[in-house]
Amino acid sequence: MSMNLSAKLDELQRGDRHLETTVALCEIRSQLQELTKSVESCQSEVSEVKRDMVAIKHELDTVQQVKEEIEELREYVDRLEEHTHRRKLRLLEQGLTFFLTYAILAAVLGMLQFGYNTGVINAPQGNIEYFIKDVYRSRYGQDIPDDAVEGLYSLAVSIFAIGGMVGGFCGGMVANRFGRKGGLLLNNVLGIGGACLMWFTKMANAYEMLFVGRFIIGVNCGLNTSLVPMYISEIAPLNLRGGLGTVNQLAVTVGLLLSQVLGIKQILGTNDGWPLLLGLAVCPSMLQLVLLPICPESPRYLLITKQWEEEARKALRRLRASNQVEEDIEEMRAEERAQQSESSISMMQLICSRTLRAPLIIGIVMQLSQQLSGINAVFYYSTSLFTSSGLSDESAKFATIGIGAIMVGMTLVSIPLMDRTGRRTLLLYGLGGMFIFSIFITISFLIKEMIDWMSYLSVVSTLSFVVFFAVGPGSIPWMITAELFSQGPRPAAMSIAVLVNWMANFLVGIGFPHMKNSLENYTFLPFSVLLAAFWIFTYKKVPETKNKTFEEILAIFRHGNGRASFRDSRLYGSMLNCVNALEQHLPVTEQAGLVVAEEKTQQDSFPNPFERHSYKAVYNYRRHSAYASVSAGSEHSSRGGDSGSRPPPPLPPPRFPNSAV
């Protein structure tokens, strides 16, 4: 019995061990399954890591390709900048030809008209006032009060400026519709009509004809002040644009001097001679009608506005006296494409444009610096100004002639300085000198009664005031306004600037007598304050435009008006040449893509603004066109350019994928 029991116990123990083994095996099996799952999971993770490594390698390759593309683009920009520099040097080598001189002289007759009519009203003031009194007495049988006579004479002076405002406002529209040359020719009809009305004023015994004639001749001069600088700046070679732009002011000063010389008592400054003195304004208009038809229209107007390339080439060949005009055509094409998004722009669009706001403000302030400097007070009322400082009537008239002579002489001196010293430098010297001598004029007025010779200090200070005006503010505002804008917005900008100029002219003409009566010896003090403000503005905001293409000037304002951006403008201008050279091979829809790319460069990831613009614009082009087939050099040679001026070859096709950008 005990043996059976032991056997049973042994059997139970073996069963327990078998059960434990089974349980252990089950645990081992479950652990093996978990381990298998872990290994499979590790294998999938390893596969993902491998895929990530492949993707990272692909991205690194892409980044490397992008770097290579950027390096190639930079090399291309360097080559293009060198080509643009060579082209600009050839533009700077152009000289003054006979026909260019003829065209400029024919055009500036309009500015001669402006100068003559600005000064002609000054000398015969007493004769005109006597005529008004005589007509009033014959009509109404009683004498007109002296205050009313002075008011009517001030009206005759200032209504000229009102006409100038109307003409200046219409200048841009006339320039776009009829062209620069066509507008000048049509404008001469107004000049002849206004001069004839003034000429026959005494014969008709109606001083109202004098007012109407002055208004019409003012419209004529307003159009001239808009059209003539525009025409000259567009036909002048790059290296002569400053000096030839000064010819505008030279013509104005010659007109002023001529009116002052003819206005003395010994010639036409008499009761019988003053109508002829005013009527001689018919001569510049008739002379321009004879001379100007031979001159060509502005090549920029023909090429950019009218798209008449062959006519533009013919005009350039005549003006340059050479068949090699490709450099000028290239420069105009670059300007056209750089301003393609603003090719036709109204005055309201110009005012609202953020890109063009800075040059517009500069142009307006430059015009105000010319008129609110006090120079028109000297032009209009110099005779009475000298008389009040203690000179006799005869001496005062000869001092007024001295003003005109100094203006002519100093303007001649400033012509070579304009392209040698620069516009900004001369403007600072001019405004600074005017500020100093306006203070001296005020001092001489204050102590003239205590010291006898102070009247001569007043004359010397006034003449020095005019000298510094002729050096800077006399000619530069007309020229720099035309230089600050490219072909598209230039007419609208000139219209706004000329309108502001004539408005300030009117305010000075109508307000100076009252200001003189109110401030007495402190008459020039407000002008001193304004001159100081204009000097500070010029120093802070006005860039130098000497030897700059219109394209490079545009680049200054696209990237701010600081000195650093000014230094980079040549490089940016070269990049614009790059994009523009590529863009001409695109259809219209793809050109629009380039323009949009340029507008949105601020959102790009490149830190440097220049790189943002250049990289994105060129990349957009390369995405949309068969870039490898474009050869700027072959196109240039087909147009007749020499091998030395051939643009650099295009970049190779892009190697990076679309995901890289």
Side-chain angles (χ1 to χ4, degrees), residues 104-316:
I104 289 171
L105 291 178
V108 297
L109 287 170
M111 298 304 281
L112 179 76
Q113 177 83 291
F114 169 52
Y116 184 84
N117 285 284
T118 298
V120 76
I121 201 71
N122 187 6
Q125 177 178 354
N127 307 110
I128 293 173
E129 289 178 350
Y130 179 81
F131 168 71
I132 293 173
K133 290 178 182 178
D134 191 51
V135 171
Y136 190 89
R137 190 183 303 112
S138 65
R139 285 182 183 177
Y140 304 107
Q142 59 182 4
D143 291 335
I144 184 173
D146 290 341
D147 291 344
V149 174
E150 290 181 6
L152 288 174
Y153 175 75
S154 295
L155 179 61
V157 172
S158 57
I159 201 170
F160 173 70
I162 296 176
M165 281 188 263
V166 175
F169 185 78
C170 299
M173 180 187 68
V174 172
N176 282 332
R177 182 169 185 138
F178 302 105
R180 283 61 164 153
K181 171 189 165 184
L184 285 171
L185 288 172
L186 288 174
N187 190 30
N188 288 315
V189 177
L190 292 175
I192 294 171
C196 289
L197 282 172
M198 294 188 293
W199 194 347
F200 297 117
T201 293
K202 190 169 184 180
M203 189 181 300
N205 205 37
Y207 50 74
E208 293 85 1
M209 284 179 63
L210 173 64
F211 302 148
V212 175
R214 285 281 291 175
F215 175 78
I216 293 175
I217 206 76
V219 175
N220 168 265
C221 292
L223 285 167
N224 280 329
T225 53
S226 180
L227 295 171
V228 175
M230 203 186 306
Y231 181 74
I232 290 179
S233 70
E234 291 178 6
I235 68 172
L238 179 64
N239 59 318
L240 300 177
R241 202 169 61 211
L244 295 180
T246 310
V247 175
N248 287 315
Q249 184 63 16
L250 178 62
V252 174
T253 58
V254 169
L256 277 166
L257 179 60
L258 192 61
S259 68
Q260 290 162 355
V261 171
L262 294 176
I264 63 175
K265 190 176 293 185
Q266 290 82 352
I267 304 180
L268 292 176
T270 62
N271 286 331
D272 294 327
W274 71 264
L276 177 60
L277 179 66
L278 298 180
L280 284 176
V282 75
C283 295
S285 294
M286 295 190 70
L287 189 58
Q288 193 175 65
L289 275 177
V290 174
L291 298 179
L292 196 61
I294 306 172
C295 303
E297 180 56 89
S298 160
R300 289 181 185 275
Y301 172 77
L302 293 172
L303 181 67
I304 299 176
T305 305
K306 289 295 187 181
Q307 297 294 314
W308 295 344
E309 183 170 340
E310 191 54 40
E311 294 297 321
R313 289 178 184 274
K314 289 179 182 177
L316 279 170

Side-chain angles (χ1 to χ4, degrees), residues 586-632:
L586 289 173
V588 175
T589 54
E590 292 174 2
Q591 290 178 11
L594 255 181
V595 173
V596 171
E598 182 180 349
E599 293 290 332
K600 296 182 178 179
T601 56
Q602 297 299 327
Q603 300 174 6
D604 233 17
S605 59
F606 290 94
N608 185 283
F610 169 68
E611 289 184 3
R612 284 201 303 268
H613 171 82
S614 59
Y615 186 80
K616 188 168 183 178
V618 176
Y619 173 70
N620 271 289
Y621 170 79
R622 295 177 64 165
R623 271 180 51 189
H624 291 295
S625 67
Y627 189 87
S629 65
V630 177
S631 176

